[in-house]
PDB file of all heavy atoms in Angstrom:
ATOM      1  N   SER O  57      -9.496   5.428   6.989  1.00 39.00           N
ATOM      2  CA  SER O  57     -10.296   6.159   7.898  1.00 39.00           C
ATOM      3  C   SER O  57     -11.128   5.195   8.663  1.00 39.00           C
ATOM      4  O   SER O  57     -11.264   3.979   8.258  1.00 39.00           O
ATOM      5  CB  SER O  57     -11.216   7.154   7.204  1.00 39.00           C
ATOM      6  OG  SER O  57     -12.263   6.382   6.475  1.00 39.00           O
ATOM      7  N   SER O  59     -14.026   4.695   8.477  1.00 41.00           N
ATOM      8  CA  SER O  59     -15.144   3.978   7.668  1.00 41.00           C
ATOM      9  C   SER O  59     -14.537   2.967   6.761  1.00 41.00           C
ATOM     10  O   SER O  59     -15.286   2.292   5.898  1.00 41.00           O
ATOM     11  CB  SER O  59     -15.905   5.051   6.887  1.00 41.00           C
ATOM     12  OG  SER O  59     -15.051   5.780   5.937  1.00 41.00           O
ATOM     13  N   ASP O  61     -12.420   3.891   4.282  1.00 42.00           N
ATOM     14  CA  ASP O  61     -11.962   4.528   3.058  1.00 42.00           C
ATOM     15  C   ASP O  61     -10.503   4.902   3.193  1.00 42.00           C
ATOM     16  O   ASP O  61      -9.917   5.051   4.185  1.00 42.00           O
ATOM     17  CB  ASP O  61     -12.736   5.889   2.939  1.00 42.00           C
ATOM     18  CG  ASP O  61     -14.156   5.721   2.774  1.00 42.00           C
ATOM     19  OD1 ASP O  61     -14.670   4.703   2.170  1.00 42.00           O
ATOM     20  OD2 ASP O  61     -14.993   6.608   3.181  1.00 42.00           O
ATOM     21  N   ILE O  62      -9.921   4.958   2.019  1.00 40.00           N
ATOM     22  CA  ILE O  62      -8.412   5.299   1.937  1.00 40.00           C
ATOM     23  C   ILE O  62      -8.476   6.791   1.926  1.00 40.00           C
ATOM     24  O   ILE O  62      -9.050   7.573   1.170  1.00 40.00           O
ATOM     25  CB  ILE O  62      -7.837   4.809   0.684  1.00 40.00           C
ATOM     26  CG1 ILE O  62      -7.894   3.158   0.680  1.00 40.00           C
ATOM     27  CG2 ILE O  62      -6.342   5.084   0.601  1.00 40.00           C
ATOM     28  CD1 ILE O  62      -7.246   2.527   1.845  1.00 40.00           C
ATOM     29  N   VAL O  63      -7.657   7.423   2.832  1.00 47.00           N
ATOM     30  CA  VAL O  63      -7.528   8.811   3.001  1.00 47.00           C
ATOM     31  C   VAL O  63      -5.994   9.245   2.865  1.00 47.00           C
ATOM     32  O   VAL O  63      -5.156   8.463   3.083  1.00 47.00           O
ATOM     33  CB  VAL O  63      -8.151   9.315   4.291  1.00 47.00           C
ATOM     34  CG1 VAL O  63      -9.531   8.981   4.325  1.00 47.00           C
ATOM     35  CG2 VAL O  63      -7.419   8.781   5.438  1.00 47.00           C
ATOM     36  N   VAL O 149     -14.342  19.467   7.327  1.00 96.00           N
ATOM     37  CA  VAL O 149     -13.427  18.534   6.623  1.00 96.00           C
ATOM     38  C   VAL O 149     -14.347  17.786   5.599  1.00 96.00           C
ATOM     39  O   VAL O 149     -15.501  17.512   5.871  1.00 96.00           O
ATOM     40  CB  VAL O 149     -12.745  17.562   7.549  1.00 96.00           C
ATOM     41  CG1 VAL O 149     -12.023  16.437   6.930  1.00 96.00           C
ATOM     42  CG2 VAL O 149     -11.957  18.411   8.600  1.00 96.00           C
ATOM     43  N   ASP O 150     -13.753  17.531   4.509  1.00 95.00           N
ATOM     44  CA  ASP O 150     -14.472  16.595   3.451  1.00 95.00           C
ATOM     45  C   ASP O 150     -15.078  15.444   4.210  1.00 95.00           C
ATOM     46  O   ASP O 150     -14.350  14.690   4.951  1.00 95.00           O
ATOM     47  CB  ASP O 150     -13.476  16.195   2.462  1.00 95.00           C
ATOM     48  CG  ASP O 150     -14.118  15.480   1.241  1.00 95.00           C
ATOM     49  OD1 ASP O 150     -14.910  14.506   1.564  1.00 95.00           O
ATOM     50  OD2 ASP O 150     -13.838  15.827   0.135  1.00 95.00           O
ATOM     51  N   PRO O 151     -16.450  15.326   4.111  1.00 93.00           N
ATOM     52  CA  PRO O 151     -16.986  14.091   4.720  1.00 93.00           C
ATOM     53  C   PRO O 151     -16.521  12.778   4.540  1.00 93.00           C
ATOM     54  O   PRO O 151     -16.424  11.952   5.362  1.00 93.00           O
ATOM     55  CB  PRO O 151     -18.459  14.179   4.177  1.00 93.00           C
ATOM     56  CG  PRO O 151     -18.746  15.547   3.837  1.00 93.00           C
ATOM     57  CD  PRO O 151     -17.262  15.997   3.327  1.00 93.00           C
ATOM     58  N   ASP O 152     -15.801  12.562   3.325  1.00 91.00           N
ATOM     59  CA  ASP O 152     -15.225  11.272   3.017  1.00 91.00           C
ATOM     60  C   ASP O 152     -13.845  11.123   3.836  1.00 91.00           C
ATOM     61  O   ASP O 152     -13.350   9.871   3.859  1.00 91.00           O
ATOM     62  CB  ASP O 152     -14.805  11.254   1.556  1.00 91.00           C
ATOM     63  CG  ASP O 152     -16.077  11.113   0.700  1.00 91.00           C
ATOM     64  OD1 ASP O 152     -17.156  10.804   1.160  1.00 91.00           O
ATOM     65  OD2 ASP O 152     -15.948  11.514  -0.584  1.00 91.00           O
ATOM     66  N   LEU O 153     -13.380  12.129   4.498  1.00 92.00           N
ATOM     67  CA  LEU O 153     -12.082  12.064   5.257  1.00 92.00           C
ATOM     68  C   LEU O 153     -12.336  12.262   6.652  1.00 92.00           C
ATOM     69  O   LEU O 153     -11.290  12.363   7.395  1.00 92.00           O
ATOM     70  CB  LEU O 153     -11.122  13.157   4.656  1.00 92.00           C
ATOM     71  CG  LEU O 153     -10.923  13.052   3.240  1.00 92.00           C
ATOM     72  CD1 LEU O 153      -9.892  14.240   2.728  1.00 92.00           C
ATOM     73  CD2 LEU O 153     -10.230  11.733   2.880  1.00 92.00           C
ATOM     74  N   LYS O 154     -13.559  12.372   7.061  1.00 87.00           N
ATOM     75  CA  LYS O 154     -13.866  12.511   8.548  1.00 87.00           C
ATOM     76  C   LYS O 154     -13.231  11.343   9.397  1.00 87.00           C
ATOM     77  O   LYS O 154     -13.247  10.166   9.027  1.00 87.00           O
ATOM     78  CB  LYS O 154     -15.310  12.418   8.748  1.00 87.00           C
ATOM     79  CG  LYS O 154     -15.849  12.938  10.142  1.00 87.00           C
ATOM     80  CD  LYS O 154     -17.380  13.118  10.122  1.00 87.00           C
ATOM     81  CE  LYS O 154     -17.712  13.560  11.499  1.00 87.00           C
ATOM     82  NZ  LYS O 154     -19.102  13.825  11.641  1.00 87.00           N
TER      83      LYS O 154
END
Side-chain angles (χ1 to χ4, degrees):
S57 74
S59 66
D61 297 328
I62 301 300
V63 299
V149 171
D150 185 312
D152 293 337
L153 304 177
K154 192 171 181 179

